[in-house]
């Protein structure tokens, strides 16, 4: 059926596609209904007198039919495997919400709304994923390309890699809802806030720094400066001028990027150690300025009562015009945290998406080439100055976004959040994750931040070591051991294989990594 | 040497070029001409200033004195990436392959400047010259053999569609058979495609046999010049650069 649609004329192609998908879905729905009639809808059960009794479960049949038909519809309307998986996940989330609302009527409405929202986001994401593959396909089949051999496949990564990313993404999307459903609003706060949001902030910072360090190979020890710029940008703009977060977020990014370029200019000629020292100094300068420019920043005392996040204008308060009241659900502080979680998740994904996209474009390849050999780059006509500046500016911009988010989440900022040890931690995530690997950096952030938080949980150790024992005191020791272990077993980071950003369609199985470096 | 398309029109003309590293003068009053369609070689001992000369054309180090006239325009003082955009390509000393990037990505870096729609055709052309690279397309650059790396360096330079190709010691560290392959390719590129080549070499015998004309550099100064055959016949060349015999 989809084949028939595909061979049709171009203008009505999408429409036909839609109809074909509907037909597909109806067909699958019919089969499901037919099969589940004897298997699910009718059920024989022995009653108290041991007589067989026929139970009828029509709602089960309807649920199964809807689930299968909807899944089939999504699967046949998208071409790309990734889009299909994400889309079907979204459908199931929505169905799950519907089912819960129908069967478990006492379920918290927030959970149901959240599920539906997540489902819709997933379907939207699937459509976006599919769209981008269609666009790629369009450029791929340009007539300018003379032979099949040179068709470029920029999808990058292996299928397994994609599946892992999708699974990780699915887990991240479902995380707050699962935790909320499981532990309730009280118990889940810690998990969503201390673990989820905290880890995602560092994932985003790690991904931002990864552009500078991992891809462009510019060792930046003062990344936290841009985080600080973004953070104070929102804090000051919001408290002094009353600008809203949604306006300040891009402004914070632009300001941080501006500072990135400003720092970039003088240090462009430097590499390696020298660059590291200058960026380190820059980080310290920003910190000292924030501490001492008391008129503007209020110094060490910090900026209090920064406006909190709103749901696109609706505050997360118990008031009548608050988020909870508008949506007719009971007020709970957890709503704000869930929203913050999805916000930072979206920001981190944006960072990731932009990075992955750019890696496949000439500018991204130029970053990596710059990391490998600057002289060769110049002799190939690459403007190393502007290449470095874009890396710096882009990395700084994402740092700025993260900073604005940090400010709106904390509601209070002071310079103590932007010390060198923050820069060092973020850099450690990039290095431990395997320079340039997105998944590796995320993993390292999760392990390092999550691990720190987990240490606080290990109270039961007090039974063994006495009441004075505080496991979180051992954070640095464990971190040190971890570093040493990494040096020994995985010196190039958790995910050390670099997958090319571009392939030809016909991939040859030459295990490059297995062939020793040769000379002659 | 057949000289079918060689004109006496200077493509690259260095006039009294001097360049320095700090206080050390590495090139002294260098006059050197490369005509359109020629292969010109520059031979000299280690540390004579051959690479410096080539890098000076590319703007690092800057020529402190003199002019570098390329196609009628003084390019001394232009930054490297702008020189490359004028149709001069360089395979620098030590090949400088992007080690962690695939062969394919390395080649695309060469094509980064050009019109993307011509990339596929350029790739095809380069693969016709170096079929070996086509077989190694997904392999990481750093894991290629020395000869393959040199091929890749030349191929990458060719991807920029140069009119003038500068090669710095392409034979460095390669087995004689591989050197012959590389030099054959250079000859072909010159004869078939009319590519002008400026070849820096220590391997004087092969370089002078290949080149139409040659220059000898000693301590940053050009001491001799002439056709390849002339220079090969000179006893002082034989004594200084061809010792140990070929
Ligand atoms: N970056 C540099 N800084 C200082 N001196 C250099 C530099 N590069 C080369 N030199 C010096 O310049 C001279 C010429 O070097 P080079 O051009 O590399 O020689 P060749 O390529 O002929 O072997 C040598 O004496 C070398 O030590
Ligand atoms: Mg040299």
């Amino acid at each position: 059926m989809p084949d028939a649609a595909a061979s049709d004329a171009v203008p009505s192609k999408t429409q036909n596609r839609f109809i074909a998908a509907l037909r597909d879905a109806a067909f699958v729905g019919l089969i499901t209904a037919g099969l589940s009639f004897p298997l699910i809808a009718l059920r024989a059960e022995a009653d108290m007198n041991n007589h067989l009794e026929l139970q009828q479960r029509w709602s089960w049949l309807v649920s199964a039919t809807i689930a299968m038909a909807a899944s089939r519809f999504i699967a046949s309307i998208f071409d790309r495997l990734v889009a299909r998986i994400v889309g079907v996940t979204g459908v199931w989330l929505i169905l799950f919400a519907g089912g819960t609302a129908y069967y478990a009527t006492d379920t918290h409405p927030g959970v149901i709304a959240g599920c539906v929202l997540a489902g819709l986001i997933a379907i939207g994401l699937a459509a976006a994923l599919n769209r981008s593959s269609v666009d790629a396909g369009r450029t791929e089949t340009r007539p300018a390309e003379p032979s099949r051999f040179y068709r470029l496949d920029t999808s990058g990564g292996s299928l397994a890699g994609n599946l892992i990313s999708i699974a990780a993404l699915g887990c991240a999307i479902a995380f707050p809802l699962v935790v909320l459903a499981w532990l309730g609003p009280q118990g889940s706060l810690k998990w969503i806030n201390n673990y989820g949001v905290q880890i995602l902030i560092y994932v985003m910072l790690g991904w931002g720094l990864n552009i500078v360090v991992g891809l462009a190979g510019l060792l930046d020890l003062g990344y936290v400066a841009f985080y600080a710029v973004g953070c104070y940008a929102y804090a000051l703009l919001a408290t002094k001028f009353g600008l809203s977060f949604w306006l300040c977020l891009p402004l914070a990014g632009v300001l941080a990027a501006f500072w990135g370029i400003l720092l970039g200019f003088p240090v462009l000629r430097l590499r390696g150690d020298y660059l590291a020292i200058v960026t380190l100094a820059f980080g310290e300068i920003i910190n000292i300025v924030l501490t001492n420019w008391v008129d503007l920043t209020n110094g060490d005392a910090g900026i209090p009562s920064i406006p909190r996040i709103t749901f696109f204008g609706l505050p997360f308060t118990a008031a009548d015009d608050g988020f909870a009241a508008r949506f007719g659900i009971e007020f709970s502080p957890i709503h704000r945290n869930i929203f913050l979680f999805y916000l930072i998740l979206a920001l981190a994904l944006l960072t990731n998406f932009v990075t992955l996209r750019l890696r496949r474009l000439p500018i991204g390849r130029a970053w990596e080439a710059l990391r490998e050999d600057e002289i060769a780059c110049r002799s190939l006509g690459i403007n190393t100055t502007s290449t470095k500046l874009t890396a710096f500016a882009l990395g700084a911009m994402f740092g700025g976004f993260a900073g604005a988010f940090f400010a709106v989440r904390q509601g209070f900022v002071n310079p103590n959040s932007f010390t060198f040890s923050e820069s060092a931690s973020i850099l450690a995530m990039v290095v431990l994750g395997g320079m340039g690997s997105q998944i590796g950096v995320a993993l390292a952030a999760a392990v390092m931040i999550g691990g720190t938080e987990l240490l606080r949980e290990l109270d039961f150790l007090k039974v063994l070591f006495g009441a004075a024992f505080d496991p979180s005191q051992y954070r640095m020791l464990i971190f040190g051991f971890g570093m040493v272990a990494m040096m020994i077993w995985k010196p190039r980071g958790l995910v050390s294989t670099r997958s090319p950003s571009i392939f030809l369609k016909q991939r040859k199985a030459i295990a490059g990594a297995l062939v020793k470096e040769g000379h002659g | 040497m057949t000289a079918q398309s060689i004109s006496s029109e200077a493509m690259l003309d260095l006039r009294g070029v001097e360049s320095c590293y700090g206080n050390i003068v590495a090139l002294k009053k260098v006059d050197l001409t490369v005509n359109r369609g020629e292969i010109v070689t520059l031979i000299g001992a280690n540390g004579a200033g051959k690479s410096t000369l080539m890098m000076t054309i590319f703007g690092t180090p800057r020529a402190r004195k003199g002019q570098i006239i390329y196609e009628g325009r003084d390019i001394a003082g232009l930054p490297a990436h702008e020189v490359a955009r004028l149709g001069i390509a360089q395979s620098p000393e030590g090949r400088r392959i992007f080690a962690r990037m695939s062969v394919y990505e390395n080649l695309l870096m060469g094509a980064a400047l050009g019109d993307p729609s011509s990339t596929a055709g350029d790739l095809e052309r380069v693969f016709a010259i170096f079929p070996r690279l086509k077989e190694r397309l997904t392999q990481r650059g750093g894991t290629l053999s020395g000869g393959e790396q040199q091929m890749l360096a030349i191929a990458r330079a060719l991807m920029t569609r140069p009119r003038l190709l500068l090669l710095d010691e392409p034979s460095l560290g390669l087995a004689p058979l591989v050197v012959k392959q590389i030099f054959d390719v250079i000859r072909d590129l010159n004869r078939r495609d009319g590519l002008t080549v400026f070849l820096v070499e220590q391997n004087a015998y092969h370089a002078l046999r290949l080149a139409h004309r040659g220059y000898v550099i000693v301590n940053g100064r050009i001491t001799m010049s002439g056709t390849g055959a002339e220079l090969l016949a000179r006893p002082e060349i034989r004594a200084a650069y061809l010792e140990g015999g070929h």
Side-chain angles (χ1 to χ4, degrees):
Chain A
M1 272 169 283
D3 296 355
S7 63
D8 274 333
V10 180
S12 61
K13 198 173 158 186
T14 36
Q15 205 188 343
N16 278 340
R17 181 95 204 239
F18 188 76
I19 292 169
L22 272 182
R23 227 184 306 157
D24 256 10
F27 182 65
V28 168
L30 264 179
I31 291 184
T32 311
L35 282 177
S36 49
F37 175 71
L39 292 176
I40 294 178
L42 299 178
R43 188 184 149 97
E45 206 159 71
D47 68 2
M48 277 184 295
N49 306 328
N50 229 1
H51 288 151
L52 273 186
E53 200 170 67
L54 211 54
Q55 277 189 349
Q56 300 179 358
R57 301 187 296 190
W58 297 112
S59 61
W60 287 46
L61 182 143
V62 173
S63 308
T65 308
I66 292 177
M68 290 312 290
S71 304
R72 176 67 224 194
F73 177 75
I74 289 290
S76 41
I77 205 147
F78 293 138
D79 319 283
R80 222 172 135 188
L81 183 63
V82 175
R84 286 182 183 174
I85 294 172
V86 177
V88 171
T89 312
V91 166
W92 281 78
L93 269 172
I94 293 172
L95 291 175
F96 171 74
T100 316
Y102 183 75
Y103 291 110
T105 40
D106 57 338
T107 312
H108 197 282
V111 178
I112 292 160
C115 276
V116 173
L117 188 70
L120 289 175
I121 290 173
I123 293 174
L125 186 72
L129 282 171
N130 200 57
R131 172 91 40 81
S132 65
S133 92
V134 172
D135 288 346
R138 206 168 291 142
T139 45
E140 266 172 26
T141 49
R142 261 188 324 201
E145 263 137 13
S147 83
R148 197 165 55 96
F149 189 81
Y150 302 114
R151 249 197 302 160
L152 307 183
D153 173 10
T154 56
S155 60
S158 59
L159 181 63
N162 281 342
L163 285 179
I164 290 172
S165 317
I166 296 293
L169 180 61
C171 289
I173 290 175
F175 174 75
L177 302 175
V178 170
V179 172
L180 182 63
W182 189 12
L183 299 171
Q186 291 301 321
S188 61
L189 181 66
K190 180 185 81 189
W191 290 97
I192 293 171
N193 196 28
N194 295 7
Y195 287 84
V197 175
Q198 189 77 1
I199 288 173
L200 282 173
I201 288 180
Y202 282 91
V203 168
M204 173 156 183
L205 287 171
W207 279 343
L209 184 61
N210 196 24
I211 297 174
V212 184
V213 179
L215 291 184
L218 304 166
L219 185 51
D220 182 352
L221 291 184
Y223 189 62
V224 79
F226 306 122
Y227 186 39
V229 167
C231 185
Y232 271 83
Y234 172 62
L236 290 172
L237 287 173
T239 51
K240 306 234 158 167
F241 302 104
L243 298 186
S244 87
F245 175 74
W246 299 107
L247 187 65
C248 290
L249 182 66
L251 279 180
V254 168
L255 270 174
F258 170 75
W259 280 97
I261 292 174
L262 219 60
L263 169 66
F265 265 118
V267 303
L268 280 173
R269 298 170 152 272
L270 307 177
R271 273 194 82 83
D273 321 358
Y274 300 100
L275 178 68
I277 290 169
V278 174
T279 52
L280 172 73
F282 180 71
E284 289 306 296
I285 289 170
I286 292 277
N287 196 329
I288 290 170
V289 168
L290 291 179
T291 310
N292 291 297
W293 194 355
V294 180
D295 292 343
L296 183 73
T297 66
N298 203 19
D300 268 329
I303 301 175
S305 54
I306 300 166
R308 292 309 191 105
I309 192 84
T310 59
F311 186 80
F312 307 103
L314 296 180
F316 287 97
T317 57
D320 283 344
D321 59 347
F323 169 80
R326 279 299 170 86
F327 283 82
I329 50 181
E330 198 187 325
F331 170 75
S332 159
I334 197 76
H335 297 156
R336 174 193 290 137
N337 287 289
I338 291 177
F339 184 63
L340 283 173
F341 179 92
Y342 282 117
L343 177 61
I344 186 67
L345 181 64
L347 285 172
L349 288 177
L350 176 76
T351 313
N352 184 40
F353 177 75
V354 169
T355 308
L356 290 183
R357 267 275 125 141
L358 286 177
R359 248 198 83 191
R360 294 172 209 158
L361 296 178
I363 178 70
R365 271 201 299 278
W367 287 337
E368 288 194 81
L370 196 69
R371 178 190 66 196
E372 306 284 298
D373 199 311
E374 201 170 332
I375 290 180
C377 278
R378 269 194 249 124
S379 75
L380 294 172
I382 290 158
N383 185 345
T384 49
T385 308
S386 63
T387 307
K388 282 185 195 174
L389 274 183
T390 47
F392 247 99
L394 211 71
M397 184 182 82
F398 289 121
F401 286 157
F405 175 84
F406 180 73
V408 83
R409 173 203 181 213
Q410 298 296 100
F412 166 80
V413 293
N414 77 356
N416 292 342
S417 310
F418 310 106
T419 55
F420 170 66
S421 75
E422 286 295 292
S423 288
S425 306
I426 303 165
L427 186 66
M429 287 164 201
V430 175
V431 175
L432 291 182
M435 306 260 251
S437 159
Q438 297 291 96
I439 267 274
V441 171
L443 211 65
V447 169
M448 279 177 62
I449 303 300
T452 308
E453 288 296 322
L454 268 181
L455 281 179
R456 295 182 219 267
E457 312 274 321
L458 301 179
D459 272 346
F460 66 89
L461 289 177
K462 288 203 166 97
V463 180
L464 287 178
F465 296 103
F469 180 78
D470 178 7
S472 58
Q473 294 283 316
Y474 292 81
R475 186 174 85 96
M476 278 302 168
L477 187 68
I478 296 171
F479 185 54
F481 275 129
M483 281 284 210
V484 172
M486 288 281 297
M487 297 289 165
I488 296 171
W489 286 297
K490 286 224 143 231
R492 287 169 156 241
L494 288 174
V495 182
S496 56
T497 52
R498 173 189 174 278
S499 57
S501 61
I502 190 160
F503 303 100
L504 292 181
K505 267 296 184 201
Q506 302 173 332
R507 261 197 258 175
K508 288 243 170 83
I510 296 169
L514 300 178
V515 185
K516 272 235 163 115
E517 222 158 294
H519 303 279
Chain B
M1 286 297 109
T2 49
Q4 69 279 47
S5 62
I6 298 174
S7 63
S8 55
E9 178 205 346
M11 186 173 212
L12 181 73
D13 198 11
L14 276 68
R15 298 177 190 162
V17 170
E18 287 199 21
S19 61
C20 313
Y21 294 110
N23 290 327
I24 308 156
V25 183
L27 290 181
K28 295 153 200 157
K29 287 207 171 357
V30 169
D31 293 313
L32 184 149
T33 305
V34 181
N35 294 319
R36 195 177 297 281
E38 263 185 332
I39 300 178
V40 172
T41 186
L42 176 71
I43 58 174
N46 249 334
K50 305 181 296 295
S51 300
T52 305
L53 177 60
M54 210 165 114
M55 294 308 288
T56 303
I57 297 170
F58 259 85
T60 37
R62 280 219 174 137
R64 198 173 274 188
K65 278 186 196 153
Q67 291 175 305
I68 302 172
I69 311 289
Y70 171 72
E71 296 187 332
R73 168 179 176 196
D74 189 359
I75 60 166
L78 280 189
H81 66 269
E82 282 182 30
V83 174
R85 287 167 198 209
L86 296 173
I88 308 181
Q90 180 195 32
S91 157
E93 184 170 26
R95 295 145 199 162
R96 296 192 172 267
I97 295 301
F98 303 122
R100 288 212 272 163
M101 298 168 80
S102 70
V103 168
Y104 185 48
E105 286 171 311
N106 266 278
L107 291 172
L108 284 182
M109 288 316 300
L113 289 181
D115 172 14
S117 66
S118 61
T119 302
D122 290 349
L123 277 172
E124 196 128 34
R125 204 165 63 95
V126 162
F127 290 148
I129 301 167
F130 299 110
R132 186 69 157 272
L133 293 181
K134 193 166 170 176
E135 296 163 18
R136 297 261 180 260
L137 220 46
T138 56
Q139 190 171 327
R140 283 193 295 137
T143 63
L144 295 175
S145 76
E148 288 163 345
Q149 288 195 5
Q150 188 58 56
M151 292 176 193
L152 180 56
I154 297 175
R156 189 177 64 181
L158 289 176
M159 288 298 289
T160 66
R161 304 183 146 213
R163 295 188 292 280
L164 172 62
L165 178 64
L166 313 184
L167 301 170
D168 195 345
E169 302 207 33
S171 72
L172 192 71
L174 301 186
L177 203 65
V178 185
V179 174
K180 187 179 174 306
Q181 272 180 6
I182 301 267
F183 277 31
D184 285 346
V185 164
I186 298 170
R187 180 179 292 125
D188 277 359
L189 281 170
N190 175 258
R191 285 213 190 138
R192 255 208 341 256
D193 306 343
L195 184 67
T196 311
V197 178
F198 179 59
L199 172 69
V200 165
E201 260 302 341
Q202 273 199 66
N203 191 334
Y205 177 72
H206 279 109
L208 289 172
R209 291 240 329 203
L210 173 72
H212 301 107
R213 292 190 305 113
Y215 290 83
V216 179
I217 186 168
V218 178
N219 275 334
R221 253 180 238 283
I222 302 286
T223 57
M224 263 182 267
S225 65
T227 64
E230 266 170 28
L231 287 177
L232 265 179
R234 289 257 186 117
E236 53 275 46
I237 299 261
R238 302 195 78 91
Y241 304 107
L242 307 175
E243 213 84 301
H246 278 266

